[in-house]
Amino acid sequence: MLSIGELSRATDCKVETIRYYEKIGLMPEPARSAGNQRRYGERHRDRLHFIRHSRQLGFSIEAIRELLSLADHDHQDCAAVDALTRHHRQEVEARIRSLAALRDELDRMLRDCAGGDIAHCGVIQTLADHGRCDSEHI
Amino acid sequence: MLSIGELSRATDCKVETIRYYEKIGLMPEPARSAGNQRRYGERHRDRLHFIRHSRQLGFSIEAIRELLSLADHDHQDCAAVDALTRHHRQEVEARIRSLAALRDELDRMLRDCAGGDIAHCGVIQTLADHGRCDSEHI
DNA sequence: TTAAATAGCTGTAGTCACTACAGATAGACG
DNA sequence: CGTCTATCTGTAGTGACTACAGCTATTTAA
């Protein structure tokens, strides 16, 4: 059996985060030692690995809750899992496109900045006047 | 003079957000009507435009606070503004790269999912076992 | 002129996914 | 046995808003 600190090291997940996952019902309540400390088994470790990996991939807590519940029912078709993943992928893709537009806009601003006084600084002027920039990032 | 609702429409910024910016000291306290309602002038509108545009470009409130203070001192060299913008641009670029790695990982998971039982679902298995995937997204 | 509808006021609490702390108890090691 | 580290619970803080409750101002139509 693992203490919460051992589980923390095994999964690279902070102790506080583990307790947080338990509080919101993402991790089940573990057994306790005689002195009321949490004791975890392999199933807890596997589940926490699953959660942390999903978080690293950007899934929201609610999405993970659903993935976990789907994963618990082996006999079901995995179409639902697939759909959830595909949806998440589309959101990531959209976020990338939006950030790329931002980066390009920042580059334009920096190109326009010839140095010298703030009064003529391209960055400040672009920030002050939205009309001057391509508005693709909205 | 503009009411808070008019300013809101003029800058596409919610009324609550305007009051929030005032509370955190990003927007100055405006004049008030006889009945204690906020009344804004052009300078307020320009400043709010600046703030909103900067937020759309992903600058944090603290970064904007600094940009505003730099912009207020016309005589200073704009190197500081440039540096702030460049730094932000690097962060955006890093975020893009990290998200692209996530997207690729999600694509790999989806390719591995041949349909059928959850028990053999590539998505669930990858989520359950971090070792199976390229770890570039960490 | 007055009633109704809309807009605005303050202050507090909620969001997400944690993170940090305070003050207490448990367990490990010499 | 003492000391040190780990763990316990509960609460509050983060960023950048957003939502709501219960009140007052202002505008518009009758």
Side-chain angles (χ1 to χ4, degrees):
Chain A
M1 298 294 262
L2 303 168
S3 72
I4 197 168
E6 287 162 345
L7 180 63
S8 166
R9 281 184 292 279
T11 57
D12 204 26
C13 175
K14 295 198 174 183
V15 166
E16 291 89 347
T17 306
I18 298 173
R19 284 196 286 250
Y20 167 71
Y21 288 160
E22 181 183 325
K23 195 164 68 179
I24 64 170
L26 204 58
M27 286 290 288
E29 294 187 18
R32 296 280 182 149
S33 74
N36 200 37
Q37 297 192 352
R38 289 169 179 82
R39 291 295 177 258
Y40 296 95
E42 278 199 23
R43 281 168 52 86
H44 289 100
R45 197 196 48 203
D46 291 348
R47 191 178 176 96
L48 189 49
H49 261 134
F50 185 101
I51 294 169
R52 289 312 291 170
H53 192 196
S54 303
R55 285 293 298 136
Q56 276 159 4
L57 288 168
F59 284 96
S60 72
I61 295 282
E62 285 319 302
I64 295 171
R65 215 186 278 280
E66 209 165 326
L67 283 171
L68 281 166
S69 122
L70 290 167
D72 282 348
H73 301 297
D74 278 15
H75 53 288
Q76 286 186 7
D77 191 273
C78 73
V81 172
D82 210 78
L84 216 82
T85 308
R86 249 171 243 286
H87 177 72
H88 179 52
R89 191 228 179 267
Q90 290 319 306
E91 285 183 351
V92 170
E93 181 69 32
R95 185 94 188 101
I96 289 171
R97 263 202 274 274
S98 153
L99 284 174
L102 290 197
R103 182 200 49 202
D104 295 347
E105 180 59 30
L106 290 169
D107 283 345
R108 249 191 308 280
M109 285 161 62
L110 287 166
R111 259 205 319 279
D112 286 355
C113 178
D117 270 9
I118 285 271
H120 310 103
C121 174
V123 172
I124 290 290
Q125 281 176 25
T126 306
L127 289 174
D129 180 5
H130 194 172
R132 282 192 55 205
C133 83
D134 290 2
S135 300
E136 30 181 296
H137 56 77
I138 299 187
Chain B
M1 299 293 264
L2 303 168
S3 72
I4 197 168
E6 286 162 345
L7 180 63
S8 167
R9 282 185 291 279
T11 56
D12 205 27
C13 175
K14 294 198 177 182
V15 165
E16 290 89 348
T17 306
I18 298 174
R19 285 196 285 250
Y20 167 70
Y21 287 161
E22 182 182 324
K23 195 164 68 179
I24 65 171
L26 204 58
M27 286 290 286
E29 293 186 18
R32 296 280 182 149
S33 74
N36 199 37
Q37 298 194 353
R38 290 169 178 82
R39 292 296 178 260
Y40 296 96
E42 279 200 21
R43 282 167 52 86
H44 289 99
R45 197 196 48 203
D46 290 349
R47 190 178 177 97
L48 189 49
H49 261 133
F50 185 101
I51 294 169
R52 289 314 291 171
H53 192 196
S54 303
R55 285 292 300 135
Q56 276 159 4
L57 287 167
F59 285 95
S60 72
I61 295 283
E62 287 318 303
I64 295 171
R65 217 186 276 280
E66 210 166 325
L67 284 172
L68 280 166
S69 119
L70 290 167
D72 282 348
H73 302 298
D74 278 15
H75 54 287
Q76 286 185 6
D77 192 90
C78 73
V81 173
D82 210 79
L84 216 85
T85 309
R86 250 171 242 286
H87 177 74
H88 179 50
R89 192 229 180 264
Q90 290 319 307
E91 285 184 351
V92 169
E93 182 68 33
R95 186 93 188 103
I96 289 172
R97 262 201 277 275
S98 152
L99 284 174
L102 290 197
R103 181 201 49 203
D104 295 348
E105 180 60 32
L106 290 169
D107 282 345
R108 247 191 312 278
M109 284 161 63
L110 287 166
R111 259 204 320 277
D112 286 354
C113 179
D117 269 9
I118 284 271
H120 311 103
C121 175
V123 172
I124 290 291
Q125 280 174 26
T126 306
L127 289 174
D129 180 5
H130 194 173
R132 282 191 55 205
C133 84
D134 290 2
S135 300
E136 27 180 302
H137 57 77
I138 299 186

